[in-house]
């Protein structure tokens, strides 16, 4: 443990300490909030686990059940969890228990029906989060139960080896009686012990008869005329004593059984030996310590059943006591030494405490360094500790040695890390004080001494000296503070600095002292200049990109004009759509052709060049015109694909690739021959069904020097609808291509005879990353021709 004595300080120091105190207070409040949050989370998880174990439901289902029950009862989730845990009754016999009824329903069925039961269990559950000892648990139980069942006293007994009992917590019991019944041998007929042995509640509601059958506390005076003893765990029993002689009703019994189960959970969470019963010593010592300065605490030993000291509890503390965790005064009371400062176990300090407690001389150790990790940060301090025995406890005082040195080191570290230094000018005595960091920043030899305030402008570059001199003069004359940037030259480099100063004035307004700091902003200024250069480069590059896009858009519009209406081609109705990935910027490599050939056949082409921009548009134009020229001059579809592949392999950009589908339509026989190079298959809609045509062999263009291309053909019928498209129509991020093809088939069937726009609207809802080009070819029925 640590502490620090705070000497008298000037106004500035007091303000600084007050600010630090507020920071520590906020941190402690946040720590308390986090601890309560963790405890609340543990209660929720226990309630979920109970539901899962009883009903076999999943964690999510258990949580949802708790939330719904809380909403239905207008309770918080935490209150509902405590209510559910407390309302769990012993398992019904198999024949009586419903086979698959949820636990929440069972809890609702077994919850006492009396008014206020749910509220009592909810309030008790929240109060138990703050209980830290069996003694506090007994007080909390009495406070919550007294209004409902007239609980005048609450006792907690724990079984000792050999079946003896120890009173570990009580409320409503006077100190004399508590001491008399503190440790009880294994008496035959002692009611708490009989309840523990039976493992069942013991209801003593008829005082005259009960005193004949059992050993009763406070007997024979007869102060409590009815009482109940309920096993909390295998070795702990809860007693509720009442002054009136009356039976415990069904609702009261069920409430007490629920309370016992809640108490069992809290006792298991505590997992620590009982707190010693507070005595008048702590109160008397605290009244003395309240008037003392410095750091002093009263430690009460916590002993095992064998009498060995296993920890100490702080029972009283002076207001000025401060530990390394930032707790002060009465905030320390109730905390345990090993819980708060575990590293002292077994050390010379701990051994000194034991010797002094055992009757030895007062302990006074050598100064030692104590280290603690606070919020992930290692904190160290040097202390001297003295301990003297006082009654059954220890009076401990300590002194912290290294506070001033650590503050100075922190100030030096702050100046170094922030690249700033403080300066002070006394205008009456003409004394000047600079921190070492100011000399470093100004590049001045400390042996030459500090510079008076009016000569400070002589150190800066001439073009900045006037502004700094004017600011210094104004401050000295009127007390007006300044914040002035300036530059100095050190060697061959120019450094960017900043000076901030304010005045201290006498009662008549005369400036008597100036204090401030100098900061080196060279790195920041260099980063700002680099950012400006980067922004200029980005603007230039953006202009180049915009110009390229505009050129590509004009080129694409010139090479690939889009018809505004469907066109007729050898009796076929052809509709075209082209949608860029970015609205308004047509710079992709998708393209199409739908033309009449000299032999009165029709040529349909849809292609996709990899990439965007001018290069993609240029490659698209090359392929489009070459494909039309080769097929028009008699080349077969597969021959045209082979030559286009050769063209891409030997083009200027040998890395270009493209996919393509070529289709040639014979109007006399209504026969369509087609071939493809790595392109998605056409979709045929016929007779209310959609078919993806089986693709003949064909590798994408530009990928291989020896590709194999094959062709296929089929006959079109009246009413057929054929879609040739690029992959942007069916591809979606994170989706398999087959799913996109299935989606296209479903959309085409759903669209029916609707226009191509309706089909595209259905297909292109959501995210899209690529251009889309579609040829919609329809064979009219006889009455449409």
């Amino acid at each position: 443990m640590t502490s620090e004595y705070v000497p008298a300080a000037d106004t500035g120091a007091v303000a600084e300490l007050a600010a630090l105190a507020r920071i520590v207070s906020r941190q402690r409040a946040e720590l308390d909030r986090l601890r309560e949050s963790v405890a609340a989370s543990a209660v929720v998880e226990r309630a979920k686990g109970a539901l899962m174990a009883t009903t076999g439901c999943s964690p999510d289902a258990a949580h949802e059940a708790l939330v719904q029950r809380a909403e239905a009862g207008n309770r918080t989730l935490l209150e509902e969890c405590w209510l559910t845990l407390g309302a769990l009754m012993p398992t019904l016999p198999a024949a009586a228990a419903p086979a698959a009824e949820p636990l929440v329903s069972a809890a609702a069925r077994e919850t006492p029906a009396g008014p206020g039961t749910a509220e009592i269990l909810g309030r008790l559950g929240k109060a138990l989060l703050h209980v830290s000892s069996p003694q506090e648990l007994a007080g909390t139980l009495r406070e919550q139960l007294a209004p409902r069942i007239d609980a005048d006293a609450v006792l907690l007994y724990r079984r000792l080896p050999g079946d003896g009992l120890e009173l570990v917590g009580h409320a409503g019991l006077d100190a004399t009686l508590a001491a008399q019944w503190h440790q009880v041998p294994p008496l035959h007929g002692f009611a708490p012990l009989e309840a523990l042995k039976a493992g069942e509640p013991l209801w003593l509601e008829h005082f005259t008869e009960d005193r004949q059958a059992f050993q009763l506390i406070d007997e024979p005076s007869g102060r409590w005329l009815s009482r109940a003893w309920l096993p909390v765990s295998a070795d702990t029993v809860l007693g509720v004593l009442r002054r009136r002689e009356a039976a415990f009703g069904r609702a009261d019994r069920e409430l007490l059984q629920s309370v016992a189960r809640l108490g069992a959970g809290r006792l298991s969470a505590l997992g620590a030996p009982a707190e010693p019963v507070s005595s008048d010593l702590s109160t008397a010592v605290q009244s003395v310590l309240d008037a003392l300065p410095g750091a002093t605490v009263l430690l009460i030993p916590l002993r095992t059943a064998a009498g060995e000291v296993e920890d100490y509890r702080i029972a009283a503390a002076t207001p000025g006591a401060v530990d390394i965790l930032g707790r002060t005064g009465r905030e320390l009371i109730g905390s345990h030494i090993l819980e708060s400062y575990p590293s002292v176990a077994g050390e010379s300090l701990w051994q000194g405490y034991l010797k002094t407690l055992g009757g030895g001389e007062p302990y006074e150790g050598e100064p030692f360094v104590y280290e603690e990790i606070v919020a992930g940060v290692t904190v160290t301090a040097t202390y001297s500790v003295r301990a003297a025995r006082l009654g059954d406890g220890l009076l401990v005082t300590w002194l912290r040695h290294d506070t001033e040195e650590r503050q100075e080191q922190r100030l030096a570290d702050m100046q170094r890390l922030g690249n700033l230094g403080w300066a002070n000018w006394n205008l009456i005595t003409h004394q000047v004080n600079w921190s070492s960091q100011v000399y470093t920043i100004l590049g001045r030899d400390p042996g030459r001494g500090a510079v008076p305030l009016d000569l400070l402008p002589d150190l800066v570059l001439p073009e900045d000296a006037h502004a700094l001199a004017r600011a210094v003069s104004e401050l000295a004359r009127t007390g007006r503070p300044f914040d002035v940037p300036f530059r100095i030259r050190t060697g061959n480099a120019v450094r960017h600095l900043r000076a901030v100063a304010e005045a201290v004035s006498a009662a008549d307004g005369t400036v008597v002292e100036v204090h401030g700091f100098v900061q080196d902003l060279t790195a920041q200024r260099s980063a700002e200049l680099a950012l400006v250069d980067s922004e200029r480069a980005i603007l230039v590059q953006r202009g180049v990109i915009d110009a390229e896009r505009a050129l590509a858009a004009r080129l694409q519009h010139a090479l690939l004009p889009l018809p505004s209406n469907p066109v007729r081609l050898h009796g076929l109705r052809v509709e075209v759509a082209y949608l860029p990935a970015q609205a308004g910027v047509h710079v992709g490599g998708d393209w199409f052709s739908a033309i009449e050939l000299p032999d009165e056949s029709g040529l349909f082409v849809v292609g996709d060049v990899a990439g965007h921009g001018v290069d993609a548009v240029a490659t698209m134009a090359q392929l489009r015109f070459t494909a039309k020229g080769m097929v028009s001059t008699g080349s077969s579809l597969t021959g045209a694909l082979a030559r286009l592949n050769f063209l891409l392999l030997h083009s200027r950009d040998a890395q270009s690739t493209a996919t393509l589908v070529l289709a040639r339509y014979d109007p006399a026989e209504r026969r369509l021959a087609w071939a493809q190079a790595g392109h998605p298959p056409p979709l045929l809609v016929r007779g209310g069904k959609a078919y993806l045509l089986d693709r003949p062999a064909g590798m994408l263009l530009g990928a291989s020097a020896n590709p194999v291309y094959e062709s296929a053909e089929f006959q079109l019928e009246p009413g057929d609808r054929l879609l040739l498209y690029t992959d942007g129509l069916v591809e979606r991020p994170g989706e398999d291509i087959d799913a996109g093809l299935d989606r296209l088939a479903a959309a085409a069937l759903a669209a029916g005879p609707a226009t191509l726009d309706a089909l595209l609207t259905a297909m292109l809802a959501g995210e899209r990353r690529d251009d889309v080009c579609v040829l919609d070819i329809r064979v009219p029925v006889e009455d449409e021709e």
Side-chain angles (χ1 to χ4, degrees), residues 644-769:
L644 292 174
N645 180 73
F646 180 84
L647 178 65
L648 275 188
L649 286 176
H650 296 83
S651 64
R652 176 179 59 84
D653 185 4
Q655 301 299 319
S656 295
T657 58
T659 65
L660 190 68
V661 59
L662 286 171
R664 188 167 187 165
Y665 176 66
D666 182 356
E669 298 182 3
R670 285 184 177 171
R671 184 166 297 277
L672 186 79
W674 68 288
Q676 63 86 31
H679 204 80
L683 179 73
L684 175 64
V685 180
R686 174 181 291 175
K689 296 183 179 180
Y691 307 89
L692 289 170
L693 302 184
D694 294 333
R695 296 193 307 172
M699 183 179 296
L700 79 163
L701 304 178
S704 173
N706 299 298
V708 175
Y709 296 105
E710 297 178 354
S711 63
E713 63 179 35
F714 66 96
Q715 189 169 2
L716 291 174
E717 299 177 359
D720 283 354
R721 183 177 190 180
L722 184 68
L723 294 176
L724 307 181
Y725 53 90
T726 56
D727 56 6
L729 182 65
V730 294
E731 287 185 345
R732 291 293 180 273
E735 181 183 73
D736 186 78
I737 185 64
D738 291 335
L741 294 174
D742 292 341
R743 189 158 35 84
L744 174 61
L749 289 177
T755 63
L756 180 57
D757 289 340
L759 174 63
L760 294 177
T761 300
M763 283 296 297
L764 300 180
E767 183 179 0
R768 178 166 56 88
R769 297 182 180 178

Side-chain angles (χ1 to χ4, degrees), residues 314-578:
I314 299 178
T318 56
V322 182
D323 73 352
I324 201 168
L325 302 177
R327 296 177 298 181
T328 61
R330 300 244 174 154
E331 292 178 338
L332 296 169
I333 297 176
S335 59
H336 294 182
I337 296 301
L338 292 185
E339 289 181 0
S340 301
Y341 327 105
S343 61
V344 304
E347 297 295 329
S348 58
L349 176 66
W350 184 265
Q351 300 301 328
Y353 283 177
L354 292 178
K355 290 180 180 179
T356 301
L357 191 62
E361 296 295 325
Y363 167 77
E364 187 166 0
E366 297 292 331
F368 68 96
V369 176
Y370 182 78
E371 181 176 286
E372 187 70 72
I373 297 178
V374 181
V377 178
T378 301
V379 180
T380 60
T382 302
Y383 295 94
S384 292
V385 177
R386 188 179 187 278
R389 182 168 179 173
L390 180 63
D392 293 333
L394 291 175
L395 200 62
V396 177
T397 62
W398 68 89
L399 179 65
R400 184 171 181 174
H401 299 286
D402 56 350
T403 302
E404 183 176 351
E405 293 83 351
R406 290 182 61 80
Q407 288 179 345
E408 292 178 355
Q409 181 61 43
R410 288 169 182 165
L411 179 60
D413 291 342
M414 180 186 68
Q415 293 183 88
R416 176 177 52 83
L417 295 175
N419 211 356
L420 57 84
W422 59 265
N424 186 79
W425 292 271
N426 190 310
L427 304 187
I428 304 301
T429 64
H430 303 289
Q431 183 179 4
V432 182
N433 292 315
W434 284 1
S435 68
S436 59
Q437 194 69 17
V438 173
Y439 290 97
T440 302
I441 292 173
L442 295 176
R444 185 176 179 82
D445 184 0
R448 300 176 59 188
V451 174
L453 182 62
D454 57 344
L455 298 182
L456 187 62
D458 295 344
L459 302 179
V460 308
L461 293 182
E463 50 266 40
D464 296 339
H466 179 69
L468 182 59
R470 185 172 61 250
V472 168
S473 176
E474 185 72 14
L475 180 142
R477 185 172 59 86
T478 66
R480 180 178 180 180
F482 67 75
D483 184 344
V484 179
F486 60 90
R487 293 167 295 169
I488 65 171
R489 182 177 298 278
T490 56
N492 296 325
V494 173
R495 302 174 70 178
H496 295 263
L497 308 181
R498 170 195 181 201
V500 178
E502 61 181 7
V504 177
S505 301
D508 60 356
T510 303
V511 177
V512 297
E513 190 173 356
V514 174
H515 54 81
F517 66 85
V518 179
Q519 185 176 19
D520 189 347
L521 302 178
T522 304
Q524 177 181 335
R525 183 57 177 163
S526 298
E528 292 173 352
L529 294 176
L531 179 61
V532 171
D533 292 341
S534 177
E535 290 175 346
R536 289 174 180 171
I538 290 174
L539 290 175
V540 173
Q541 183 64 24
R542 184 177 297 169
V544 172
I545 293 174
D546 291 343
E548 180 180 336
R549 284 180 175 174
L551 174 61
R554 290 195 297 270
L555 179 61
Q556 189 180 58
H557 281 301
L559 298 175
L560 195 66
L562 291 174
S564 57
N565 296 307
V567 298
R568 291 282 181 170
L569 184 62
H570 289 309
L572 302 177
R573 180 181 181 275
V574 182
E575 192 172 356
V576 182
Y578 180 87

Side-chain angles (χ1 to χ4, degrees), residues 117-184:
T117 297
E119 290 77 8
I120 290 175
L121 292 175
R123 289 197 303 267
L124 179 58
K126 294 176 65 176
L128 289 180
L129 292 176
H130 305 283
V131 168
S132 60
S133 68
Q135 179 70 15
E136 292 182 9
L137 176 60
T140 300
L141 293 179
R142 179 172 180 262
E143 179 183 354
Q144 298 296 331
L145 292 176
R148 168 65 184 269
I149 62 172
D150 297 331
D152 297 304
V154 171
L155 291 78
L156 285 170
Y157 271 106
R158 178 173 293 160
R159 194 200 306 254
L160 299 174
D163 278 349
L165 293 181
E166 179 184 16
L167 184 63
V168 296
H170 64 84
L173 209 66
D174 60 66
T176 302
L177 197 61
Q180 179 183 350
W181 292 91
H182 178 65
Q183 288 192 343
V184 182

Side-chain angles (χ1 to χ4, degrees), residues 48-370:
K48 287 170 56 180
L51 287 176
M52 293 165 60
T54 306
T55 66
C57 65
S58 67
D60 292 341
H63 186 272
E64 183 63 26
L66 291 170
V67 171
Q68 292 178 359
R69 184 168 170 80
E71 293 177 351
N74 195 24
R75 292 182 288 271
T76 67
L77 177 60
L78 183 61
E79 291 172 344
E80 185 58 40
C81 289
W82 278 112
L83 179 61
T84 300
L85 289 171
L88 294 177
M89 299 302 294
T91 305
L92 295 174
E101 188 175 3
L103 176 62
V104 174
S105 299
R109 184 176 63 253
E110 298 295 341
T111 300
T117 297
E119 290 77 8
I120 290 175
L121 292 175
R123 289 197 303 267
L124 179 58
K126 294 176 65 176
L128 289 180
L129 292 176
H130 305 283
V131 168
S132 60
S133 68
Q135 179 70 15
E136 292 182 9
L137 176 60
T140 300
L141 293 179
R142 179 172 180 262
E143 179 183 354
Q144 298 296 331
L145 292 176
R148 168 65 184 269
I149 62 172
D150 297 331
D152 297 304
V154 171
L155 291 78
L156 285 170
Y157 271 106
R158 178 173 293 160
R159 194 200 306 254
L160 299 174
D163 278 349
L165 293 181
E166 179 184 16
L167 184 63
V168 296
H170 64 84
L173 209 66
D174 60 66
T176 302
L177 197 61
Q180 179 183 350
W181 292 91
H182 178 65
Q183 288 192 343
V184 182
L187 296 175
H188 177 71
F190 187 50
L193 184 58
E194 296 301 322
L196 269 180
K197 290 180 178 180
E200 296 180 355
L202 184 60
W203 310 100
L204 305 180
E205 301 163 324
H206 306 287
F207 180 71
T208 304
E209 299 175 6
D210 294 334
R211 69 188 299 181
Q212 302 297 325
F214 297 98
Q215 292 278 353
L216 301 181
I217 295 178
D218 197 32
E219 195 270 334
S221 65
R223 181 185 309 177
W224 295 291
L225 301 180
S226 60
R227 58 196 80 197
W229 293 98
L230 302 96
V232 174
S233 64
D235 61 352
T236 307
V237 63
L238 166 67
V240 177
L241 283 63
R242 304 191 300 184
R243 297 185 183 277
R244 62 186 180 95
E245 184 175 15
F248 291 91
R250 177 179 177 273
D252 292 343
R253 291 190 177 195
E254 293 178 350
L255 171 62
L256 288 177
Q257 289 175 317
S258 298
V259 168
R261 282 185 285 273
L262 290 182
R266 191 58 192 152
L267 282 174
S268 64
L270 294 176
E275 296 281 349
V277 178
S278 60
S279 65
D280 294 337
L281 176 63
S282 299
T283 303
V285 172
Q286 184 61 62
S287 63
V288 175
L289 296 186
D290 284 339
L292 294 180
T296 304
V297 296
L298 174 65
L299 300 184
I300 300 297
L302 305 178
R303 301 181 182 272
T304 64
E308 297 180 355
V309 176
E310 61 179 2
D311 204 348
Y312 295 90
R313 178 176 60 89
I314 299 178
T318 56
V322 182
D323 73 352
I324 201 168
L325 302 177
R327 296 177 298 181
T328 61
R330 300 244 174 154
E331 292 178 338
L332 296 169
I333 297 176
S335 59
H336 294 182
I337 296 301
L338 292 185
E339 289 181 0
S340 301
Y341 327 105
S343 61
V344 304
E347 297 295 329
S348 58
L349 176 66
W350 184 265
Q351 300 301 328
Y353 283 177
L354 292 178
K355 290 180 180 179
T356 301
L357 191 62
E361 296 295 325
Y363 167 77
E364 187 166 0
E366 297 292 331
F368 68 96
V369 176
Y370 182 78

